[in-house]
Amino acid sequence: MRRETAVIVLLISAVLVPMWFVALASGGHAGGEEIALQPAPNSSLNPTGYFIDAPTEINVNVAGVVTWLGLFGLFGVLFASIRFAHRVGRSGEPIEPTDGTDLDLPDYLESEYRSVVAYWPAKANLTGVWLVGGFTFATVVFAALFAGEVFGAARHQFLGFYGALLCVSLAETVLLYYTYFIPSIDVAEERDH
Amino acid sequence: MSTETEQQPAEGTASEDENPSRVYRWLDDRLDLGDTFLGKAFPEDAYGSFLLGEVSLFTFVILVLTGTFLGLIYTPSTTAVEYTGRVAAYAGTEVPAAFASVLQITYGTRFGMTLRMVHHWAAFLFVAAMGLHMLRVFFAGSYRNPRELNWLVGTALIFLGILEGFLGYALPFDEYSATATGIGYEIAGTIPFIGEQLQYLVFGGAWPAASETVIPRLFFMHVFLVPLVIGGLIAVHMFLLVRQKHTEQKGERHESDGGPDSDDQSYVVGTPLFPNQAMVTIVVFLMTFAVLFLLAAFFPVQRLPIWGPSDPTSTPANVGPDWYFMWVFGVLKIIPAIPFHDAISSALGGIPVGEFVAGVIVPGIIATVLALWPFIDYSKNEVHFTADPLDRPFPTAVGVGAIALIVMLSMAGMNATVATVVSGIVHWAAPIPVLGGLFTFVFTQPPVTTAEVTLPLQVATVAVPLVEGVLVYVMLARRKKRKGIEDSSEAAAARAASQDD
């Protein structure tokens, strides 16, 4: 990180950290207040069922801090995912149009205003098969757990947890398929058309 | 369009070999997919920050999907009904129908609590992602010519997003949300001459006295009117993006023999929409959903049984606006006394002047400067490369100062907690010779009252953003002079303009 960038980050942190501290210290319902539910007739529904202790409710000030941490976390994961896809999918020198290699590209990629300028063939190796296969299996497992929860006790924490893992494993499946089985392409397009 | 013969080629013909997917050929025959849109270039950036716009878009999509489910079960009425659901505290009692229906969604409907929580967190993430997206565009100078219009559309979107959150907040008609909605109602009423009409237009009646009229109106605006406008503006935002094409981060191009030079801004270089960018987009959507599921699972918000239904005769403790509205609340908390308050108030029809200045004028000035910023930092030439923020001392200093201002105002909005925290610090520092003396010079002995922190907060809210802005400006101006650098994106734009001439 460049020195000036570090100073700017420090200056923003100097106000943000105290504000977050105040937000986290503000009042609310930290926990211990049970929401008593009556048994549902002819239903196994158990929305408040949990497997780890969580606050009864977090107030909106705390929710603000959690929102930004969640967004930064999401951004970090996306950054790492794209970096991984490019590091693996674009390793080595690309084929360039001037090489004269027939790339067998779809028609829509090139037009009067657009041309392909770099092409990294898909790896399509055994590592990719194992990774995509593994995450596909994980996706099926979490989809089954999620569906079981939806049609069973429908416990909120379990639904959220399984739903998150289902989405992550599906995202990883797509990411790894993209990385290992789809060629990386760069196109150059004229702006004024 | 293809001819009849081309629509149904014989097996193994050249046409089928070129487009082996029958689905693709079927669609292509009808929609002429062979156009060039599928190959549209999406530039990459070194930090992945260009994906923030997609996160904003997908949180809106998730809001619409989950909101549709919630809207099917929700009852927009405050008529008292007997609650027959599962929450023991209210079983057999009379509660407003809106409150009862949200209890039913949360505790009596399969998957209901999860979808309601995902909806709530998606709203928070929608506003945060739009805010971060705008900061990225601001610091990279991507709002400059020819993208001023899209900046205006984006500004409208973030304020509509905040408005949409405010409208939705009232719907459960619980004690907390009814109190928070009252703050917005009162602010609207402080506008001279039109305040009362504005209150009537938005709310349809007094809040919460005429809640039977207000709730259905807010529901209509929350589920139909404002989302429709947001959806329309998103379409305009995307159209402008496609038409004008993305900005591009300088230095990210792969140099190739057949490609444009690294500083040629008459081209945009990146991955094609299909298949590459489409795959990334699916990953962004799924990861966004994953984060929302996790937040929904482990961070419960708006547990209605804790707060109970709206009670106009009481104000519960710890009530405040949503976090993204806290900066406006902060202005209300620390606004100093307005000189000639009574005279101005009577001249303006009896409105509370301090509240009008704090709730409308100050936020209005901040919003106006934000919207008009591309015309303040105006670029004559078209700029298509993003800027390095360190190369632009003035805009970067303004950006840092603006962040500090919003953060300080948000802290002022929580002034009661600030007083509690300061009390703890004073108590802790009291035995320390110099530090303790300094604190007791400013404050009395703990506990420090909310009124006592007002003056320090007023001073800090003005001083801290100014000091930080000036520090950043001086530091970057010196850097610029020391290195003899210029804004490379502006330089490329100037070169392109001179070539055109």
Side-chain angles (χ1 to χ4, degrees):
Chain A
M1 188 186 286
R2 288 175 293 180
R3 191 182 62 186
E4 289 83 0
T5 308
V7 172
I8 289 172
V9 169
L10 275 175
L11 286 173
I12 293 174
S13 302
V15 286
L16 196 60
V17 171
M19 194 270 272
W20 279 8
F21 182 80
V22 169
L24 293 172
S26 60
H29 298 271
E33 294 172 72
E34 286 292 323
I35 296 171
L37 296 185
Q38 298 175 331
N42 306 319
S43 169
S44 59
L45 212 61
N46 181 21
T48 53
Y50 61 89
F51 63 92
I52 61 164
D53 280 336
T56 310
E57 153 147 325
I58 62 167
N59 70 25
V60 288
N61 302 343
V62 179
V65 180
V66 175
T67 301
W68 283 98
L69 292 177
L71 182 60
F72 291 146
L74 170 63
F75 185 56
V77 169
L78 291 175
F79 170 65
S81 301
I82 305 306
R83 284 292 282 260
F84 169 79
H86 284 181
R87 191 169 53 80
V88 175
R90 298 186 167 194
S91 56
E93 279 301 303
I95 299 168
E96 293 176 7
T98 46
D99 290 350
T101 312
D102 181 15
L103 298 176
D104 193 22
L105 297 165
D107 294 340
Y108 62 78
L109 280 183
E110 294 182 293
S111 73
E112 187 182 349
Y113 310 103
R114 185 190 305 126
S115 58
V116 172
V117 291
Y119 180 96
W120 290 263
K123 295 272 182 297
N125 56 19
L126 200 57
T127 308
V129 173
W130 276 109
L131 286 171
V132 172
F135 276 101
T136 304
F137 177 74
T139 303
V140 172
V141 169
F142 291 125
L145 288 168
F146 185 74
E149 209 46 56
V150 171
F151 295 110
R155 293 163 298 184
H156 169 64
Q157 264 195 3
F158 288 76
L159 280 170
F161 187 62
Y162 294 150
L165 291 180
L166 169 61
C167 288
V168 168
S169 54
L170 198 52
E172 289 303 315
T173 307
V174 173
L175 181 74
L176 292 165
Y177 181 77
Y178 166 53
T179 305
Y180 285 95
F181 295 100
I182 290 182
S184 286
I185 305 166
D186 262 0
V187 292
E189 191 173 324
E190 286 179 32
R191 286 191 180 275
D192 293 331
H193 80 272
Chain B
M1 284 289 176
S2 307
T3 64
E4 184 70 23
T5 314
E6 287 166 336
Q7 282 179 23
Q8 293 177 328
E11 282 186 23
T13 62
S15 174
E16 190 173 30
D17 288 343
E18 286 166 12
N19 295 311
S21 164
R22 289 181 66 187
V23 175
Y24 179 86
R25 278 187 287 120
W26 189 89
L27 287 170
D28 188 32
D29 290 339
R30 285 150 187 82
L31 304 174
D32 198 15
L33 295 180
D35 68 11
T36 58
F37 181 72
L38 287 174
K40 177 181 160 45
F42 280 77
E44 293 143 26
D45 72 324
Y47 314 105
S49 61
F50 282 20
L51 299 175
L52 282 166
E54 292 193 18
V55 173
S56 310
L57 175 66
F58 291 138
T59 45
F60 179 70
V61 170
I62 292 166
L63 277 168
V64 171
L65 293 175
T66 51
T68 303
F69 172 86
L70 301 176
L72 292 173
I73 304 174
Y74 173 73
T75 307
S77 166
T78 56
T79 306
V81 296
E82 186 185 342
Y83 177 67
T84 55
R86 298 185 59 201
V87 181
Y90 300 102
T93 64
E94 286 209 332
V95 294
F99 183 80
S101 68
V102 181
L103 284 188
Q104 175 61 24
I105 289 169
T106 312
Y107 298 100
T109 305
R110 203 173 290 283
F111 206 24
M113 184 187 284
T114 304
L115 283 180
R116 187 170 156 252
M117 292 291 164
V118 167
H119 189 75
H120 216 109
W121 280 108
F124 286 161
L125 207 66
F126 181 49
V127 175
M130 281 196 292
L132 202 58
H133 180 47
M134 285 191 83
L135 283 176
R136 199 282 296 170
V137 170
F138 181 91
F139 283 113
S142 301
Y143 51 77
R144 288 174 293 178
N145 183 4
R147 296 180 177 78
E148 303 95 330
L149 269 178
N150 231 5
W151 174 266
L152 286 171
V153 173
T155 308
L157 277 170
I158 195 165
F159 284 113
L160 281 169
I162 291 172
L163 172 69
E164 177 70 343
F166 172 76
L167 295 171
Y169 215 63
L171 299 184
F173 203 54
D174 63 299
E175 179 71 327
Y176 190 102
S177 66
T179 308
T181 304
I183 298 169
Y185 177 78
E186 295 301 330
I187 289 175
T190 64
I191 300 175
F193 309 116
I194 61 164
E196 209 170 314
Q197 284 80 359
L198 186 69
Q199 278 179 326
Y200 189 77
L201 183 72
V202 176
F203 292 87
W207 177 265
S211 57
E212 189 56 50
T213 309
V214 177
I215 288 289
R217 181 174 293 220
L218 295 186
F219 178 62
F220 168 75
M221 289 194 284
H222 180 71
V223 303
F224 181 74
L225 194 60
V226 179
L228 191 71
V229 178
I230 289 177
L233 283 178
I234 288 175
V236 172
H237 200 63
M238 303 296 281
F239 170 77
L240 289 172
L241 178 73
V242 169
R243 185 68 194 88
Q244 297 179 330
K245 300 179 178 63
H246 290 74
T247 49
E248 190 178 339
Q249 200 173 62
K250 213 158 178 293
E252 286 301 298
R253 284 182 186 176
H254 174 83
E255 292 283 348
S256 65
D257 291 340
D261 293 338
S262 61
D263 63 348
D264 184 352
Q265 67 161 17
S266 63
Y267 281 86
V268 54
V269 178
T271 55
L273 169 61
F274 194 83
N276 300 68
Q277 187 61 31
M279 288 289 177
V280 173
T281 299
I282 293 169
V283 172
V284 175
F285 177 75
L286 290 168
M287 285 296 186
T288 305
F289 222 145
V291 167
L292 289 175
F293 264 131
L294 281 180
L295 293 174
F298 300 119
F299 298 98
V301 274
Q302 275 273 295
R303 287 277 174 99
L304 303 194
I306 294 171
W307 295 100
S310 170
D311 178 4
T313 62
S314 78
T315 302
N318 302 317
V319 167
D322 268 348
W323 59 267
Y324 49 76
F325 228 50
M326 189 59 79
W327 61 280
V328 180
F329 203 48
V331 190
L332 282 164
K333 289 283 183 77
I334 61 164
I335 188 82
I338 307 287
F340 311 110
H341 180 286
D342 291 339
I344 299 170
S345 179
S346 59
L348 294 175
I351 59 115
V353 180
E355 285 80 350
F356 170 59
V357 171
V360 180
I361 296 290
V362 175
I365 291 171
I366 292 173
T368 305
V369 171
L370 179 72
L372 297 181
W373 183 255
F375 306 99
I376 298 168
D377 177 34
Y378 187 70
S379 168
K380 198 180 89 181
N381 299 319
E382 288 192 1
V383 183
H384 294 299
F385 285 124
T386 60
D388 181 344
L390 301 187
D391 294 349
R392 291 172 17 103
F394 180 64
T396 302
V398 170
V400 172
I403 291 172
L405 176 66
I406 295 298
V407 170
M408 289 306 301
L409 286 174
S410 300
M411 187 137 69
M414 299 178 280
N415 59 351
T417 312
V418 171
T420 309
V421 170
V422 170
S423 285
I425 296 171
V426 172
H427 182 76
W428 168 80
I432 303 171
V434 179
L435 201 60
L438 190 67
F439 272 112
T440 48
F441 178 73
V442 181
F443 305 104
T444 56
Q445 291 300 311
V448 175
T449 63
T450 304
E452 275 186 280
V453 296
T454 301
L455 182 61
L457 279 172
Q458 284 171 337
V459 173
T461 301
V462 175
V464 171
L466 269 176
V467 169
E468 292 208 349
V470 169
L471 274 176
V472 170
Y473 180 79
V474 170
M475 176 180 70
L476 296 186
R478 287 181 62 183
R479 173 184 183 270
K480 194 172 177 177
K481 195 174 171 187
R482 189 175 68 245
K483 296 197 169 182
I485 52 174
E486 58 179 348
D487 177 2
S488 55
S489 59
E490 284 276 16
R495 273 198 300 277
S498 64
Q499 282 168 10
D500 288 347
D501 292 342

